Amino acid sequence: MPCSEPESIDFSDDNEEEATENRGSEFNHTYVEDFGSEDPSSTSGETGENDMRILIATDIHVGYGENKGVIHDDSVNTFEEILQIAAKEQVDFILLGGDLFHENNPSRDIMCKTVRLLRKYCLNDNPVYIEFKSDPSVNFNHSTFTRVNYDDCNLNVGLPIFTIHGNHDDMAGMGLTALDELHESGLVNLFGKFEQVEEMTVSPILLTKGTTRLALYGVGSQRDDRLNRAFEKKKINFLRFGAEAEEWFNLLVLHQNRPPRSTSRSTGNYLPVKYIPSFFDVVLWGHEHECKITPEYVDVSAKMDGDGFFIIQPGSSIATSLTPEEALPKHVSVLTIRGRKFQSRPIKLETVRQLIVKTIVLDKTPPKTSLPYPGTREEDMYDEILVIETVKELIKKAKETRGARQPALPLIRINLVYAGVWEHVKVYGGRPLWTMFADQVANPTTMLLTKKMKQKKEKEKARVNEFDFSVFDKSTTCIEDMVSEVLSFVDFDHRLTVLTDDVLKHALRTYTRDQTSVTAANKKLDDLLNHKVRREREREKEREREREKLQKVTMDGMEKEIDNEVKKMKEMFYSAISEENRQKSRANPDEMF
């Protein structure tokens, strides 16, 4: 049975792109807590015929910890829970903000488990109520299949998934991500993929349900510096309708650093919200792992109050680092859109492993306790006893608060800070903890993190290896050029001999830009380094010969000078003796013998 062509809306001359301008105040109040008569929390897909219901999530990181004994299935289990929530809520589709996988090239085991789950929950006879109105050959121009997966008569998709790529599933090698495999197999719809960030035109996916119209924009993960400069130069263009632009609910999906990540780079290594056009209603922000599920309003216009948008940051679905931000409860959200208004209902994930983080600062000497000599330790010291008791306390807390679907063993992190009088004490290594709590926590070898907080001293003069990054040319767009610029500011005496800037540039270009396997790239780097080592050895031998030659010349000259001095001394000495003897012989010749 042939597939029928879906009705689409194109961006022809009579629908010219509208400039990004501030919209009127009547469109500002889009977030509501209750829609009223039509209940958006209903699990029936047939009720609320104008309500477009979307389950939003980001940073699922399927495959994280797959080689770690206890937590190897955590990410897969949580991904299945997300799919179960979507099926239970009977949402119209799932929207992911990047980093579905933890590795760019997931293992066969992880890919197989992912495909099984997608086939189990997404391929079924459930009706799909949303209509695809844009040109799929534009939205999915990276694929040879020019239609959304649920409109393909060869597939039986009952739960569509739309996703952008994150930095963990970035475009390496041939410009492909692990998500491209899922897209080409019809399991997900990958959008927002751009090979060139210097200048891009973002065309939205247009979806409708009843009278609700959604313009879905996506920009997959890009280097923050490059994206920042592209926005500065106004090289990023978001397509909109002219007369009908305000009838569409505009949603943008990003995967970038949200707060500044660098004080040395002029761009701050993040995407400032000021660059995001104010016509958007909601921005789904991926990459940040801290869960900020409540919509946060951002006013980006100084010309008009209320001319901004809402940011929803679901955060990661599992903890990939042992930090206080990751220890917060994990959520997804059901986003319900009706006309130009939306409602966000958070849903707490129940299968996420517990993570408890506690910081202990040692800066005073405890009562009736003396500290050992600097750089030494004694048995059963105060810090060791304190850490052990704290771990026991946190394990007890985890047992009391554990949910029915949470794994038995918690993740625990104790940040032990040595400051003040403890600054010179040898830190506690924590090895006994590995065996003491091996069967009570999921991460016995990484429970303890120690740090010494030294007293602040007057700012020292910049050392040779400290660079002022503000001198960089803002046109630098690739890592190899940045490395070259950094090394150009190093004086000659402190430059590297083998890992020169040309070697580093060549290696970085091979790993990041050339279409080369990792094994082949490693071999190229090894060959290049071996060549440089051989050259340096030859040069060192040549320098050694020069030094020996110079040393020989110098020694010969010194010997001649010494011989001359000895000769002079001998002449003076023997001439003095001869004169003395002559005088004696004149006085008494017999005394000479």
Side-chain angles (χ1 to χ4, degrees):
M1 177 179 174
C3 298
S4 59
E5 291 294 332
E7 179 185 358
S8 63
I9 303 174
D10 61 9
F11 292 94
S12 55
D13 294 337
D14 56 341
N15 282 324
E16 294 181 354
E17 173 198 345
E18 183 184 77
T20 303
E21 297 177 351
N22 301 323
R23 57 170 177 259
S25 60
E26 64 270 20
F27 297 106
N28 297 332
H29 305 291
T30 57
Y31 178 45
V32 296
E33 296 184 359
D34 187 6
F35 275 124
S37 58
E38 287 184 283
D39 182 11
S41 65
S42 171
T43 59
S44 174
E46 298 180 357
T47 63
E49 60 182 12
N50 298 320
D51 293 345
M52 188 178 295
R53 293 160 50 77
I54 311 166
L55 186 136
I56 57 175
T58 67
D59 298 87
I60 298 174
H61 288 276
V62 177
Y64 173 76
E66 65 172 315
N67 296 321
K68 299 179 181 179
V70 178
I71 67 172
H72 64 282
D73 278 335
D74 284 9
S75 61
V76 177
N77 294 337
T78 302
F79 181 42
E80 182 170 20
E81 182 189 0
I82 293 173
L83 295 174
Q84 290 172 346
I85 293 173
K88 179 182 177 181
E89 294 288 333
Q90 295 188 9
V91 296
D92 292 301
F93 64 92
I94 297 175
L95 180 60
L96 303 180
D99 280 357
L100 172 60
F101 293 103
H102 185 67
E103 299 290 344
N104 171 269
N105 187 22
S107 65
R108 292 182 181 179
D109 179 55
I110 291 300
M111 181 60 78
C112 184
K113 289 178 179 178
T114 303
V115 171
R116 284 173 183 166
L117 291 176
L118 292 173
R119 181 175 177 179
K120 178 179 179 180
Y121 291 97
C122 297
L123 301 185
N124 51 58
D125 294 326
N126 295 336
V128 178
Y129 295 101
I130 53 173
E131 297 184 40
F132 196 92
K133 294 295 186 179
S134 54
D135 185 355
S137 64
V138 175
N139 301 133
F140 312 125
N141 60 1
H142 55 85
S143 173
T144 56
F145 297 97
T146 58
R147 64 177 58 245
V148 68
N149 66 348
Y150 63 84
D151 278 343
D152 191 330
C153 60
N154 297 309
L155 302 172
N156 198 30
V157 178
L159 179 57
I161 295 179
F162 291 87
T163 181
I164 63 171
H165 67 85
N167 60 306
H168 279 258
D169 31 39
D170 61 348
M171 295 181 289
M174 301 290 292
L176 299 175
T177 76
L179 296 174
D180 281 281
E181 297 182 40
L182 301 182
H183 179 92
E184 296 302 313
S185 61
L187 294 172
V188 303
N189 300 291
L190 175 62
F191 71 109
K193 185 177 177 182
F194 301 92
E195 295 184 0
Q196 298 295 330
V197 71
E198 286 77 13
E199 185 171 0
M200 65 172 70
T201 298
V202 185
S203 183
I205 290 176
L206 302 178
L207 304 172
T208 64
K209 182 182 180 184
T211 58
T212 297
R213 301 180 177 185
L214 172 64
L216 178 60
Y217 297 79
V219 178
S221 176
Q222 306 290 341
R223 294 178 183 173
D224 292 280
D225 293 340
R226 298 174 65 183
L227 189 63
N228 203 316
R229 283 189 285 268
F231 270 112
E232 278 186 349
K233 297 177 181 178
K234 301 187 184 302
K235 295 295 185 179
I236 299 182
N237 192 18
F238 294 90
L239 295 182
R240 297 186 70 199
F241 288 105
E244 300 179 355
E246 299 302 344
E247 297 180 9
W248 291 81
F249 188 95
N250 301 291
L251 196 159
L252 172 64
V253 189
L254 292 172
H255 191 95
Q256 304 294 147
N257 286 330
R258 187 176 173 189
R261 287 289 195 272
S262 174
T263 57
S264 58
R265 298 188 184 182
S266 58
T267 60
N269 195 25
Y270 77 115
L271 178 62
V273 294
K274 66 180 181 180
Y275 291 137
I276 301 176
S278 60
F279 73 82
F280 285 109
D281 298 291
V282 171
V283 175
L284 173 60
W285 206 297
H287 184 61
E288 297 296 337
H289 282 206
E290 182 179 359
C291 182
K292 296 182 177 179
I293 199 66
T294 302
E296 176 185 351
Y297 184 74
V298 177
D299 195 346
V300 295
S301 174
K303 300 178 181 179
M304 182 185 301
D305 291 336
D307 188 47
F309 46 79
F310 289 88
I311 295 178
I312 302 178
Q313 181 179 304
S316 63
S317 303
I318 63 166
T320 60
S321 59
L322 305 179
T323 62
E325 293 77 18
E326 292 268 34
L328 297 173
K330 303 292 186 181
H331 292 81
V332 294
S333 183
V334 174
L335 185 72
T336 304
I337 303 172
R338 183 189 299 172
R340 288 302 308 276
K341 297 185 181 296
F342 78 96
Q343 171 187 321
S344 179
R345 181 166 57 88
I347 299 176
K348 183 179 178 180
L349 295 173
E350 299 178 351
T351 60
V352 179
R353 188 179 296 273
Q354 292 168 291
L355 169 60
I356 306 177
V357 180
K358 186 169 183 177
T359 300
I360 302 174
V361 179
L362 296 174
D363 55 359
K364 297 179 181 179
T365 305
K368 301 180 181 179
T369 302
S370 60
L371 299 180
Y373 289 108
T376 63
R377 288 194 62 82
E378 299 174 353
E379 292 185 2
D380 299 328
M381 283 184 57
Y382 174 80
D383 54 349
E384 179 179 356
I385 296 173
L386 181 60
V387 168
I388 293 174
E389 292 302 318
T390 303
V391 172
K392 293 179 179 178
E393 176 187 335
L394 297 183
I395 292 175
K396 181 180 178 182
K397 178 182 177 182
K399 289 180 179 179
E400 294 173 350
T401 58
R402 182 178 303 124
R405 299 181 64 186
Q406 288 184 299
L409 303 183
L411 293 165
I412 289 179
R413 165 55 60 84
I414 296 178
N415 299 311
L416 187 60
V417 181
Y418 290 80
V421 295
W422 285 84
E423 179 183 337
H424 302 291
V425 175
K426 185 177 181 181
V427 300
Y428 174 49
R431 269 185 186 274
L433 301 176
W434 300 4
T435 55
M436 192 180 302
F437 300 103
D439 58 347
Q440 300 180 61
V441 297
N443 61 321
T445 61
T446 59
M447 279 194 299
L448 181 64
L449 180 65
T450 58
K451 177 182 179 182
K452 283 196 174 184
M453 186 179 295
K454 298 184 178 179
Q455 295 181 355
K456 293 184 179 179
K457 300 180 180 179
E458 293 183 5
K459 189 174 181 180
E460 300 177 355
K461 293 182 179 179
R463 297 192 301 272
V464 186
N465 60 339
E466 291 181 345
F467 309 104
D468 180 10
F469 284 81
S470 63
V471 300
F472 279 174
D473 182 0
K474 290 186 178 181
S475 62
T476 301
T477 56
C478 56
I479 187 66
E480 55 263 32
D481 290 339
M482 182 176 292
V483 168
S484 180
E485 286 195 62
V486 169
L487 295 179
S488 67
F489 291 106
V490 182
D491 62 83
F492 184 79
D493 293 337
H494 292 84
R495 291 196 178 185
L496 300 175
T497 304
V498 176
L499 281 173
T500 55
D501 55 346
D502 59 324
V503 174
L504 290 173
K505 285 179 65 176
H506 179 82
L508 290 168
R509 187 182 300 112
T510 303
Y511 279 107
T512 60
R513 300 176 65 184
D514 294 351
Q515 297 179 1
T516 310
S517 66
V518 174
T519 303
N522 288 339
K523 186 178 184 304
K524 282 186 177 181
L525 180 58
D526 289 341
D527 293 341
L528 188 57
L529 289 176
N530 290 331
H531 174 70
K532 296 289 289 186
V533 169
R534 285 194 299 270
R535 287 187 57 187
E536 285 304 316
R537 285 176 176 171
E538 292 174 358
R539 290 176 179 175
E540 184 61 29
K541 290 180 180 179
E542 182 65 28
R543 287 192 289 266
E544 184 65 27
R545 286 193 292 268
E546 291 293 332
R547 284 194 295 269
E548 291 177 356
K549 183 178 179 181
L550 179 61
Q551 186 177 11
K552 183 177 181 181
V553 172
T554 304
M555 290 299 296
D556 291 343
M558 290 179 62
E559 288 176 358
K560 289 181 180 180
E561 291 183 6
I562 292 173
D563 289 342
N564 292 332
E565 292 295 326
V566 171
K567 185 177 181 181
K568 290 179 181 179
M569 290 176 64
K570 286 181 177 180
E571 289 177 353
M572 293 174 62
F573 178 76
Y574 286 111
S575 62
I577 292 178
S578 299
E579 182 64 26
E580 182 180 354
N581 289 337
R582 282 194 297 271
Q583 292 177 0
K584 287 183 178 180
S585 64
R586 293 192 190 101
N588 188 2
D590 296 333
E591 293 182 1
M592 294 181 61
F593 304 98

